[in-house]
Amino acid sequence: MEDDEVETPERPTTWRRVRRVAYVVLSLVILVPLAAFVVAYLVLDVRSPQEVLAGLDKTAGLAYTDGSEMMKVVPEDGDRLYVRYADVPPKLRDAIIAVEDPTFWQNEGFDPLGILRAAVTGVGGGSGITQQYIKNATGADQASYFRKFSELVLSTKLTQQRSKEEIFESYINIISFGRGTFGPASAANAYFGKPLADLTWSETAFLAGMIQSPSVHDPAASSHEHASRRWDYVAEKLVTRGYVSEAERAEMRYPGDAVVPPAETRAGRLTYSEYHVKRRVLAELESHGFGLDRLRQGGLRIETTLDRQAQADGEKAVAEQLAGQPNHLRAALVAVEPGSGAIRAYQGGNWGVRDYAGVPQPPGSAFHPFVVAAGLRQGENLDRKYPAPDRLDYGGRVVKNEAGCGAPECSVRDAVRGSVDTPFVEMTRRFGAVAVSQAARDAGIPADLDGTPTLREPDGVTIGPGIAVGAYPVRALDLASAYGTFAADGLRTQPYFVQRVLDDEGTVLWEHETTATPAIEPQVAAGVTEALRREDGVAKAGSHRFGDTGDNAGAWLAGYTDRLSTVVWVGADEERRLRDAANNRITGETLPAAIWRAFRR
């Protein structure tokens, strides 16, 4: 009995201890976060939109590699017109809520399901309109749990203190729609040149689509093809969330023809050449989490990769060589540093908002080095000879030589130096079009541009005969980067504009880290360099023919030194016969070569 009396109270005592521990743990799990929420609720506060707008007077500065100022990112006069809630067109309000925060009218400042969905899928940030306002009002955009926690607390507090109409009014007046605009009134003028009240359903869907990433979705920054896909997304959200009927959706059209050039972003402050650089830098910054709002509110300083002297020399070379030439001629120049990918000079043209350095064009025989690389990878050598007829049919494409070798066959070396096209057809047949495409990809020609596959037929899959003679369009920026891979003994790097981002106290917030990837075998890169070597350097001319006229519609000179890989393109807005002021035929060895030699460094 004594044993029983000892054991009997032991069980409930142990169980009681377990329960006490469980109660303590449960209390901590519930009470600690609750206490933290209460404390944060009492301590944290949100600035009014007027205070936030006043803070936007801070400007972000872009600098050259030497630290000297390049330009400032500031809003133009009138780009921050405040719009009351009552003056926001219901169509625009509905479009923004449909795509940015469908539960806005019902939620308590945030959508728990949206946050959970973002956490599980990794798609989207889970931030609704109230949270976006908090983020813009505080200027805090760092990826941290404390920032997200603070957003949730302040979103709840704001929802309890203000009406939904006041929150929406505050939000819509501090967000950026791109092109240096804050608020919907300035955005309507910047994109469509019309008052806010006159916007159509299609135009409001367009503006609502800009909010997520204006430096990317603006058709002047990407393309109308890209912008129309974003517009389709918003239009479909309007239908699925009940703001627009299927019949109304069928009447909506992407308003590309109504979008005006982004003159407001330059307004006497920037040249078009500077505008192209600014647009490229802002798009790159946005991809690293530094949107326009964060740049302006923080007064941040952006150190670019552009060299002041190289940039000036590039603009001078283009301007001087085209002086006195027909007015319809256009040109672009890009210089990339081999081994790092840093863009030292970028001239997209000074003729308007079209960035000629970023518009894909057929490179013609400037693409030959990639055919050579494919062959060298398979054990071929530069002295191997291939048939060089004056004309041949390849897969339905007629290929003609601009010049011959003076013999029925050409060595690889002579075919490159003489821009003899027909031997490259036989090379491509022998090496395989896939191998040629892969060599170009490995060197740095991207697999796609804005979702559209490169070096392919319109079906996005087939590699046609045009790859042998450079018929598929590439950008000057990408060609300069790919040639830079050969110059760097086969090491490929991603071309970039932004070196680092600093706050107003000089603290580095972000810095580019170069990653060089072995992509082309060193002996192959050396062989390509040997094939391209000529009296004035290591370079290759190319041209895109204008039908059967014997003239060209585009002309290139691409080459490199140890310091820079530089590409020059000369053409026109529309395909046409290119002739210079003396009515001479323009080829890669004429105006492009003159610009390249004037700039070479």
Side-chain angles (χ1 to χ4, degrees), residues 203-250:
E203 290 164 347
T204 57
F206 179 95
L207 289 186
M210 290 298 104
I211 296 172
Q212 183 201 56
S213 186
S215 293
V216 175
H217 298 319
D218 184 347
S222 53
S223 66
H224 279 292
E225 182 180 1
H226 173 93
S228 67
R229 287 200 294 270
R230 177 63 179 167
W231 179 87
D232 281 331
Y233 173 83
V234 177
E236 291 306 313
K237 291 296 182 185
L238 283 168
V239 175
T240 58
R241 286 163 181 168
Y243 293 104
V244 169
S245 67
E246 292 286 357
E248 290 173 316
R249 171 66 180 91

Side-chain angles (χ1 to χ4, degrees), residues 387-464:
D390 292 335
R391 171 192 175 105
L392 59 77
D393 187 296
Y394 177 32
R397 174 183 290 272
V398 175
V399 179
K400 300 178 182 178
N401 291 327
E402 289 196 5
C405 298
E409 294 184 324
C410 270
S411 68
V412 175
R413 192 189 313 271
D414 290 340
V416 170
R417 293 176 179 174
S419 292
V420 187
D421 276 337
T422 53
F424 288 93
V425 173
E426 181 58 34
M427 290 183 212
T428 301
R429 283 175 173 156
R430 183 181 296 263
F431 309 147
V434 172
V436 173
S437 175
Q438 190 60 52
R441 293 262 190 272
D442 291 344
I445 301 298
D448 66 85
L449 291 176
D450 194 26
T452 300
T454 61
L455 307 181
R456 296 291 188 271
E457 293 296 309
D459 64 9
V461 177
T462 306
I463 306 176

Side-chain angles (χ1 to χ4, degrees), residues 376-392:
L376 292 174
R377 281 178 155 180
Q378 297 181 23
E380 295 289 348
N381 62 75
L382 299 181
D383 295 318
R384 173 67 181 267
K385 292 188 176 182
Y386 291 89
D390 292 335
R391 171 192 175 105
L392 59 77

